[in-house]
Amino acid sequence: MIRGSMKPFSKIACIGEVMIEILGHPSGEARLNVAGDSYNTAVYLAQLARGSDCTVSYVTALGQDTFSQRALHEMQLFGIGTDHIERRCDSNIGLYAIDTDAAGERSFTYWRSESAARTLFSAPGKVTLDVLAQFDMVYLSGISLAILPASVRTALIDALAAYRRSGGLVAYDSNHRPRLWEDAQTAIDVNNAMWGVTDIAVPSVDDEMAIHGDASEAAVLARLKASGVTDGALKRGMAGPYDLTRSTSGLTFAPATRVVDTTAAGDSFNAGYLFARASGADQATALQAGHELASRVIGHKGAIIKI
């Protein structure tokens, strides 16, 4: 839902899990990258923000292992603020591997059940929910919520509601990984609660249909509207985004000319769209910016490219 006119925002926090990405090659070799859905969005936001007054920070928990240190180093290279990252002595960073088919569609294998990110906002820790107050906008995803214990998840949603009452903006992508949730009903309930504390919604139609069992895009749009979602974009892949503000009409989006790997398509869209909004762009311009960045990213292997 949106509360009147939206104020400008320049201090952005992305909350979630950063992981080590194992990218296979037909030769049998593998490349290690640093990635993760909300982290990918932070990377693209930080790259877009260079030379502007917009700052991007990442909020997560990491271990003390070599790969956690690598992730921290790469964040700093991209200009992402790392002052609000918990460091755990008893947990490590999570891992995932990507396989892509001939059409560029990907499948994932995860090793994340004991990742440090699952302890974010949990005692004992120095990073608390009070950190939200330091930012103009907070962005998170369904994965950000699904990895947390139920009690912490509830506390985070409550904190986001209080943050909004104090003038903060919340952006949310219901990015869905069924295996991360306790059960299907919990995913439905948590996402419904999140839409109630969201200002800018950036879900994908596929995720929304998977979570709620909607039979069509029209059903997704009707349900989101009934939930109070009136700002943002519904991602529809090559069809381009749908304007959830319903303030534009007749927009068309050129399909990507080259599709190699669709990893981070939605994450990069979110960054392009949200940065345009942060910069004061109108809805049509922001939708186009998100679509163009996503189209560029899926022309390359892996989640992260330099832009």
Side-chain angles (χ1 to χ4, degrees):
M1 63 180 66
I2 189 68
R3 302 153 294 148
S5 60
M6 182 171 290
K7 69 178 184 180
F9 51 96
S10 60
K11 295 180 181 178
I12 301 174
C14 297
I15 300 174
E17 180 179 27
V18 60
M19 305 177 73
I20 296 297
E21 174 190 82
I22 305 169
L23 189 61
H25 188 274
S27 68
E29 297 179 349
R31 187 171 79 238
L32 299 183
N33 300 317
V34 178
D37 72 324
S38 61
Y39 171 75
N40 301 337
T41 297
V43 168
Y44 289 114
L45 278 169
Q47 291 189 80
L48 292 168
R50 286 176 181 152
S52 75
D53 62 356
C54 184
T55 61
V56 180
S57 296
Y58 199 64
V59 181
T60 191
L62 292 172
Q64 300 287 348
D65 57 289
T66 300
F67 290 128
S68 290
Q69 191 59 40
R70 174 174 175 172
L72 192 67
H73 178 65
E74 292 211 8
M75 287 184 216
Q76 293 166 344
L77 288 178
F78 280 114
I80 297 171
T82 59
D83 292 342
H84 307 295
I85 294 179
E86 194 76 54
R87 302 299 300 274
R88 299 292 192 183
C89 296
D90 54 354
S91 302
N92 297 326
I93 195 170
L95 310 175
Y96 74 98
I98 299 177
D99 289 311
T100 53
D101 63 20
E105 289 300 324
R106 76 275 195 225
S107 59
F108 301 91
T109 303
Y110 292 97
W111 299 268
R112 74 196 310 175
S113 60
E114 302 298 326
S115 75
R118 290 178 175 269
T119 71
L120 181 61
F121 302 129
S122 294
K126 297 179 181 178
V127 177
T128 69
L129 291 166
D130 292 340
V131 71
L132 302 180
Q134 299 183 30
F135 300 98
D136 300 323
M137 189 191 77
V138 169
Y139 166 80
L140 70 163
S141 74
I143 294 176
S144 307
L145 292 170
I147 64 171
L148 297 175
S151 60
V152 177
R153 187 188 297 152
T154 298
L156 173 55
I157 294 173
D158 289 344
L160 290 169
Y163 166 75
R164 293 178 74 246
R165 289 194 293 270
S166 298
L169 297 169
V170 176
Y172 180 63
D173 179 354
S174 55
N175 198 3
H176 187 52
R177 297 290 183 270
R179 292 183 181 181
L180 292 178
W181 294 98
E182 297 92 322
D183 52 63
Q185 189 59 50
T186 299
I188 292 171
D189 293 343
V190 172
N191 275 283
N192 285 340
M194 265 307 302
W195 291 135
V197 297
T198 294
D199 296 294
I200 305 176
V202 282
S204 74
V205 66
D206 291 343
D207 285 333
E208 286 296 301
M209 292 174 73
I211 296 166
H212 296 275
D214 297 323
S216 65
E217 178 183 313
V220 170
L221 289 168
R223 179 178 45 74
L224 288 173
K225 184 176 181 180
S227 298
V229 174
T230 58
D231 194 3
L234 179 68
K235 292 169 289 190
R236 304 179 298 169
M238 292 301 178
Y242 179 89
D243 177 11
L244 291 174
T245 73
R246 295 173 169 80
S247 64
T248 61
S249 61
L251 298 179
T252 58
F253 302 92
T257 57
R258 181 171 182 260
V259 180
V260 174
D261 182 357
T262 57
T263 305
D267 308 330
S268 55
F269 172 89
N270 295 347
Y273 174 78
L274 291 172
F275 183 73
R277 293 288 301 271
S279 303
D282 60 25
Q283 180 74 344
T285 301
L287 292 168
Q288 191 65 50
H291 184 74
E292 289 178 358
L293 181 54
S295 296
R296 181 177 172 185
V297 168
I298 64 176
H300 301 268
K301 277 276 191 183
I304 303 296
I305 66 170
K306 293 184 179 180
I307 60 173

